[in-house]
Amino acid sequence: MSTLRCSCPKRVRDCWNNPSPPRYAVFLSLLVVQAGFGFYPVLVKKFNASANPLIFSLYRDTLAVPVLLLCALVAEKQLKVPKLKELPLFALLGVLGMFSSQLLYILAVYRVGPNISSVFQQLTPIWGSILAVLTCTEKIPPPNKAFTWSKLAGILSAAGGAAEMTLTGQSFAQSDGHYSDWYMLSGFLFLLCNTFSTALYIMLQKKYIFMKNSAWATLPVSVTLWSYLFGAISMGLASIYYCNQLEVFAIPVQAAYPLVYAVIVASSLCYLLTTWANHHLRSTVVTAFWPCQVPVAVVGSYFVTGDELKPLQYIGALLIVFGLCLVVCSNFKEEKYYKLLEPNSQYSVNSETLEHFDDGNGVKETTRLLN
């Protein structure tokens, strides 16, 4: 028994430091991420209704920084400091992945509840597929292939499902008379911007850190740490708006439960595992796991808060799920197609690097990997 206890941490550490970890381990880490993200809005809705969203997010990001710093010292045994020219990239990652994404999400949870907030996360892989092409993270699919049109159909289906859920939510809000149309509509708009920010954060991280043979590519904890630091700075600058309302900075006692969960699980653990998985998988595969948080949120909210989706909103949810399935299947067929064209390459990492980063050192390093 003691031998098993000693071997488990060693296996986790070896898997984390392995340049090519088992695929099942990476997939399992993404499932853990979505489970952590899925239960977070349930706790926010249950225990944190009276806390200011911006101040709550400020405390979440600020407290997560020392946790990530400790993880970097333990896991990577060093603290790498960005160069001056690298600071804008980490600042952009912090604004997109931490500041805008987290703040918009918690604002949406207050307005539309954890169920709809989690259902809208299925738009993340749709945005991811679009951004992967626009940012040249992945190749433009050929127009004469079926998987190209099925991906387009998936995007349209998901967009239609999101629009249907928005209109249905507005009609039910009007009939209930509890929330105004604008209050509910703003929640849906926040979710659209939240999912877009998350997808863009993952795409930029993949393109400018993990596809450029950067020195940061082997330091996923440090990448997350510095991104979070700039996210906390952005939250602090935004909270200056409340400098004359000091009572806003007081967090209710019951908000301690979601705050501790947010710092340890939703921030430190989930973002670390996302960065690590983004290093070893295609970015579209990483974003494709985002809908897995829906069942966690639905089951959790049923038992904790008693929230349920309206019957017509299930139609919109099914359209988003259907769109996701089309996009994921299309990505799988597209990867097989390119592997047939380049049988000696590993399309997910090396061939992308060869295509997009053909400077002298990059080509030399890529050629060594391919051979």
Side-chain angles (χ1 to χ4, degrees):
M1 191 68 177
S2 60
T3 305
L4 181 60
R5 290 198 192 105
C6 296
S7 62
C8 286
K10 184 178 184 300
R11 289 183 179 181
V12 172
R13 185 171 59 253
D14 293 342
C15 183
W16 181 270
N17 297 323
N18 190 346
S20 301
R23 282 299 178 95
Y24 74 85
V26 185
F27 292 152
L28 180 60
S29 69
L30 289 174
L31 291 176
V32 172
V33 168
Q34 299 313 315
F37 282 152
F39 195 65
Y40 172 62
V42 179
L43 291 178
V44 169
K45 188 72 173 181
K46 178 67 176 179
F47 298 105
N48 197 32
S50 59
N52 183 281
L54 176 59
I55 303 305
F56 182 84
S57 300
L58 170 64
Y59 289 150
R60 169 187 174 176
D61 287 358
T62 303
L63 294 174
V65 170
V67 175
L68 291 169
L69 174 60
L70 179 61
C71 293
L73 294 176
V74 172
E76 299 172 349
K77 303 187 185 307
Q78 62 173 302
L79 179 60
K80 183 176 174 61
V81 179
K83 299 178 181 178
L84 185 62
K85 63 180 181 180
E86 296 172 333
L87 291 179
L89 173 60
F90 285 103
L92 180 60
L93 293 177
V95 170
L96 289 174
M98 288 73 187
F99 175 71
S100 62
S101 178
Q102 294 176 8
L103 182 59
L104 292 171
Y105 186 68
I106 194 173
L107 287 171
V109 171
Y110 284 160
R111 286 161 170 76
V112 300
N115 280 349
I116 296 179
S117 298
S118 295
V119 168
F120 259 79
Q121 297 309 301
Q122 299 183 70
L123 288 177
T124 302
I126 310 299
W127 291 124
S129 297
I130 299 174
L131 292 172
V133 174
L134 294 180
T135 60
C136 297
T137 306
E138 297 180 11
K139 298 180 179 181
I140 300 178
N144 60 338
K145 296 296 180 181
F147 57 74
T148 302
W149 296 102
S150 62
K151 180 180 290 188
L152 176 61
I155 294 173
L156 295 177
S157 175
E164 195 276 336
M165 291 192 70
T166 303
L167 296 176
T168 303
Q170 278 190 276
S171 64
F172 274 102
Q174 186 176 11
S175 63
D176 291 341
H178 186 61
Y179 297 116
S180 64
D181 285 349
W182 168 246
Y183 189 82
M184 295 292 290
L185 180 61
S186 63
F188 293 118
L189 293 176
F190 288 153
L191 287 171
L192 289 174
C193 296
N194 155 254
T195 53
F196 180 80
S197 295
T198 301
L200 184 57
Y201 163 76
I202 294 175
M203 293 299 152
L204 293 179
Q205 185 187 81
K206 182 70 174 181
K207 180 177 177 64
Y208 291 106
I209 292 181
F210 296 127
M211 288 179 58
K212 293 189 69 172
N213 292 327
S214 168
W216 294 92
T218 58
L219 302 172
V221 184
S222 297
V223 171
T224 310
L225 166 64
W226 288 105
S227 300
Y228 244 98
L229 178 61
F230 281 101
I233 293 174
S234 301
M235 292 287 185
L237 293 176
S239 64
I240 296 177
Y241 176 80
Y242 296 104
C243 62
N244 295 326
Q245 307 176 41
L246 297 181
E247 66 277 3
V248 177
F249 290 84
I251 296 294
V253 177
Q254 65 270 20
Y257 297 106
L259 181 59
V260 172
Y261 182 90
V263 171
I264 297 177
V265 179
S267 292
S268 302
L269 177 63
C270 291
Y271 274 86
L272 275 179
L273 293 178
T274 300
T275 304
W276 180 69
N278 199 26
H279 175 40
H280 298 290
L281 296 175
R282 298 172 65 190
S283 53
T284 49
V285 177
V286 174
T287 55
F289 275 78
W290 245 250
C292 296
Q293 63 185 263
V294 175
V296 178
V298 171
V299 174
S301 61
Y302 177 80
F303 288 104
V304 177
T305 65
D307 290 344
E308 295 183 3
L309 287 171
K310 300 299 184 293
L312 289 179
Q313 289 179 315
Y314 281 102
I315 299 177
L318 290 175
L319 287 174
I320 297 177
V321 172
F322 177 70
L324 168 70
C325 293
L326 284 180
V327 171
V328 171
C329 293
S330 300
N331 284 333
F332 177 74
K333 293 180 180 179
E334 182 181 1
E335 186 172 350
K336 289 182 63 177
Y337 170 76
Y338 285 118
K339 281 184 177 180
L340 291 175
L341 292 181
E342 305 173 49
N344 294 325
S345 67
Q346 298 178 6
Y347 171 72
S348 59
V349 178
N350 294 339
S351 64
E352 289 178 338
T353 307
L354 179 62
E355 178 187 2
H356 299 297
F357 305 101
D358 55 353
D359 59 286
N361 295 331
V363 170
K364 184 177 181 180
E365 176 68 16
T366 303
T367 304
R368 185 184 66 80
L369 290 171
L370 289 177
N371 293 334

